[in-house]
Amino acid sequence: MSLVAPVEDGKIVETASESSMKKAKKSSESGMDKDAFLQLLVAQMKYQDPLEPTSNTEFVSQYAQFSQVEQLQNMAGSMDLQRAGSLVGQMVRVKTTNTSGDTNYVEGKVDYVAYENGKAFVSIQGNLYSIDDLDTVADKEYLEAYEMASEWIIALNKLPSVANISLDDAEDIDALKAAYDKMNDYQKSFIASEKVKDLNAYVERLAEVRKIAEELEKEENGDKTEGTENGDKVEGSEGTDETDGAQATEQ
């Protein structure tokens, strides 16, 4: 387990692993296990009414129930350990809730399985998590594709409406288009067709915005060039008039 704890605002923050371990411990302590059942049976025998003692038949029946509880608990623990053992080497996602009520997700490969106090724990990135907090078991390629699609859709949703985009949004739109083109068919299958249509609409609108910007730039450059040419002609004409005047004076 990790020996480093995160700190925020000068206070130690409970990690997802600690939340999972505490939850498992609390569940184990609050549950009605075989030891509690046996204590109740002993207490019943100790404090029974001596004038109306419990019959041997009832004690045998209760002991049989105790044996059944013990067998069921052992079976449940064995099944949890077997289920956890089958996860070694697989990519999983664990969902935990801390004392503040915040939900945390931890993803990673299960390195090994530990079994403590009748509970199975999986080790992910050096931390232990209760098997009860297991949320998803998936292939690594699936998780990567899912996260890639989620981040891509979030970035797409941050863009303004298609009608309101400008050249300031060009870099983001180009990056989204490039990222989508690099995805393989499996990764693209995680993106809804409506989102792909939205991307194409942004790309088409951006092309129009760029074309309009280029036309405006050409018009501005054309006006500057025309003004410069006109200015040269005027200066040339003035020079000609002065020369003609000088020649007339000499004559």
Side-chain angles (χ1 to χ4, degrees):
M1 295 180 63
S2 176
L3 299 178
V4 180
V7 178
E8 291 183 4
D9 299 330
K11 297 181 180 180
I12 298 177
V13 180
E14 185 178 74
T15 64
S17 176
E18 290 173 342
S19 300
S20 181
M21 297 283 285
K22 285 184 178 180
K23 180 181 176 183
K25 183 179 180 181
K26 184 177 180 180
S27 175
S28 177
E29 292 176 349
S30 62
M32 192 72 175
D33 58 4
K34 60 183 180 181
D35 294 332
F37 189 92
L38 183 59
Q39 289 176 3
L40 289 174
L41 182 61
V42 172
Q44 181 183 5
M45 296 174 62
K46 183 177 180 181
Y47 297 104
Q48 64 179 326
D49 187 354
L51 299 178
E52 295 181 2
T54 305
S55 66
N56 294 335
T57 304
E58 291 181 4
F59 277 123
V60 171
S61 176
Q62 291 177 358
Y63 183 78
Q65 292 178 4
F66 165 74
S67 299
Q68 290 178 355
V69 170
E70 184 178 17
Q71 290 175 3
L72 288 173
Q73 285 188 335
N74 292 337
M75 185 182 300
S78 178
M79 291 179 65
D80 281 347
L81 182 60
Q82 184 178 1
R83 181 163 66 103
S86 65
L87 298 175
V88 175
Q90 300 214 24
M91 295 296 296
V92 300
R93 173 183 290 172
V94 176
K95 178 181 178 181
T96 63
T97 304
N98 58 23
T99 53
S100 301
D102 300 326
T103 300
N104 298 311
Y105 289 92
V106 178
E107 295 179 359
K109 185 178 71 172
V110 177
D111 299 318
Y112 64 88
V113 173
Y115 196 67
E116 300 177 6
N117 299 324
K119 289 286 184 179
F121 298 88
V122 294
S123 173
I124 303 174
Q125 299 175 1
N127 296 312
L128 291 177
Y129 302 90
S130 172
I131 190 68
D132 296 333
D133 292 329
L134 184 66
D135 181 73
T136 306
V137 181
D139 180 69
K140 182 179 180 180
E141 185 180 2
Y142 168 86
L143 291 176
E144 290 178 350
Y146 179 82
E147 293 217 354
M148 183 183 297
S150 298
E151 293 175 358
W152 188 91
I153 291 173
I154 291 173
L156 182 69
N157 291 336
K158 288 182 179 180
L159 292 174
S161 62
V162 176
N164 294 327
I165 66 170
S166 63
L167 291 178
D168 294 335
D169 305 306
E171 184 177 352
D172 294 333
I173 296 175
D174 290 339
L176 285 169
K177 182 67 167 61
Y180 182 78
D181 291 339
K182 288 181 181 179
M183 294 182 186
N184 55 39
D185 293 338
Y186 179 70
Q187 293 167 342
K188 289 179 179 178
S189 66
F190 286 78
I191 299 177
S193 57
E194 290 79 7
K195 295 300 180 181
V196 179
K197 291 179 181 178
D198 292 342
L199 173 65
N200 293 332
Y202 278 113
V203 172
E204 292 175 1
R205 178 57 183 165
L206 179 60
E208 295 175 358
V209 171
R210 281 173 168 161
K211 185 176 181 181
I212 294 173
E214 289 176 0
E215 292 176 353
L216 291 175
E217 186 177 358
K218 287 180 180 179
E219 289 180 2
E220 291 179 359
N221 292 335
D223 291 341
K224 291 179 181 179
T225 304
E226 184 177 353
T228 303
E229 292 177 352
N230 292 337
D232 292 342
K233 289 181 180 179
V234 172
E235 290 177 1
S237 300
E238 291 177 355
T240 303
D241 293 341
E242 291 177 358
T243 305
D244 293 342
Q247 290 177 353
T249 303
E250 290 176 359
Q251 292 178 355

